[in-house]
Amino acid sequence: DAGITQSPRYKITETGRQVTLMCHQTWSHSYMFWYRQDLGHGLRLIYYSAAADITDKGEVPDGYVVSRSKTENFPLTLESATRSQTSVYFCASSRTNKNTEAFFGQGTRLTVV
Amino acid sequence: EDQVTQSPEALRLQEGESSSLNCSYTVSGLRGLFWYRQDPGKGPEFLFTLYSAGEEKEKERLKATLTKKESFLHITAPKPEDSATYLCAVQTGANNLFFGTGTRLTVIP
């Protein structure tokens, strides 16, 4: 199916564990983004990627790692999960860097206990 | 410091009762202002992009306008299916997109 998909939709993990959130898009969009959404903060950019093997930090990158070996995939890894990383994570993609028509995935609700 | 503020936080309207949502911003070098709609449990869905003061865009019952300091999302004769959270975002640098916290709209039949 065409679109942008995130997996898993829900995840519970323990403090200190490594966890990877997956994002896959079928449009061959150049740009991909990871956001987190928390009450009272709105969506905040964690990392973005302009193309395969090109990534850069956003507003709140600490504690996260990304990679982009293929255009269609943009996984987000929490190297050692903390409770403050409990959030809803959204992946997005867009054809250009202007976010003009960014398409968002359904989100991953992550709980760190 | 770049800032985006949306008001009100929540809005309840009767079906057919028109109103407006506000997005005020203080940013350096606005490159674009975006409106998104978000339904519960889903990702944001793109609605509009506005680039310069005076610009307007329409889609069905929605019309977005932009001034130098704020944007309005006007909803004309809303229907229950318009119930959602509406997010405003501004883009300053090449990839810096700042989102507001949204307005949760409920339209009552």
Side-chain angles (χ1 to χ4, degrees):
Chain A
D1 291 337
I4 183 165
T5 56
Q6 294 182 234
S7 62
R9 289 294 314 276
Y10 304 92
K11 176 74 176 179
I12 300 175
T13 192
E14 295 179 341
T15 302
R17 289 196 180 259
Q18 182 181 83
V19 60
T20 296
L21 310 184
M22 305 300 293
C23 179
H24 176 79
Q25 53 105 352
T26 61
W27 294 300
S28 297
H29 284 167
S30 296
Y31 286 81
M32 295 188 75
F33 309 84
W34 274 107
Y35 292 89
R36 60 179 290 174
Q37 187 173 39
D38 305 287
L39 282 174
H41 285 281
L43 284 155
R44 290 181 291 174
L45 182 64
I46 304 171
Y47 269 95
Y48 65 94
S49 169
D53 297 321
I54 301 174
T55 62
D56 208 346
K57 297 178 180 179
E59 185 183 356
V60 288
D62 294 343
Y64 303 95
V65 174
V66 293
S67 62
R68 195 161 175 213
S69 57
K70 293 183 178 181
T71 300
E72 61 266 31
N73 296 325
F74 191 38
L76 175 74
T77 297
L78 287 67
E79 294 188 298
S80 179
T82 65
R83 290 184 180 175
S84 65
Q85 293 177 309
T86 293
S87 186
V88 181
Y89 291 85
F90 288 99
C91 177
S93 72
S94 65
R95 186 172 50 83
T96 72
N97 66 339
K98 292 186 176 183
N99 267 283
T100 301
E101 292 185 44
F103 295 89
F104 283 79
Q106 296 280 63
T108 294
R109 182 175 294 276
L110 176 68
T111 302
V112 183
V113 298
Chain B
E1 180 180 328
D2 296 333
Q3 196 166 6
V4 179
T5 304
Q6 291 189 247
S7 62
E9 288 187 14
L11 181 64
R12 290 171 63 90
L13 299 173
Q14 292 290 330
E15 183 172 0
E17 179 186 1
S18 301
S19 188
S20 297
L21 312 182
N22 178 262
C23 172
S24 62
Y25 59 91
T26 51
V27 298
S28 54
L30 179 73
R31 293 188 60 180
L33 186 139
F34 304 83
W35 282 99
Y36 286 85
R37 169 193 171 128
Q38 186 174 23
D39 293 298
K42 295 189 176 182
E45 178 185 346
F46 171 79
L47 292 173
F48 304 108
T49 308
L50 302 166
Y51 292 106
S52 57
E55 189 175 0
E56 298 183 353
K57 288 194 177 173
E58 288 189 63
K59 180 180 180 180
E60 297 181 352
R61 295 176 293 281
L62 301 176
K63 183 170 83 171
T65 62
L66 181 65
T67 71
K68 288 186 178 180
K69 292 185 177 181
E70 59 191 349
S71 176
F72 291 94
L73 184 64
H74 306 278
I75 303 176
T76 302
K79 298 181 177 181
E81 53 262 42
D82 294 322
S83 296
T85 295
Y86 290 86
L87 304 174
C88 166
V90 296
Q91 187 176 31
T92 54
N95 289 296
N96 295 325
L97 196 63
F98 292 97
F99 280 85
T101 53
T103 293
R104 187 174 66 254
L105 174 66
T106 304
V107 182
I108 305 163

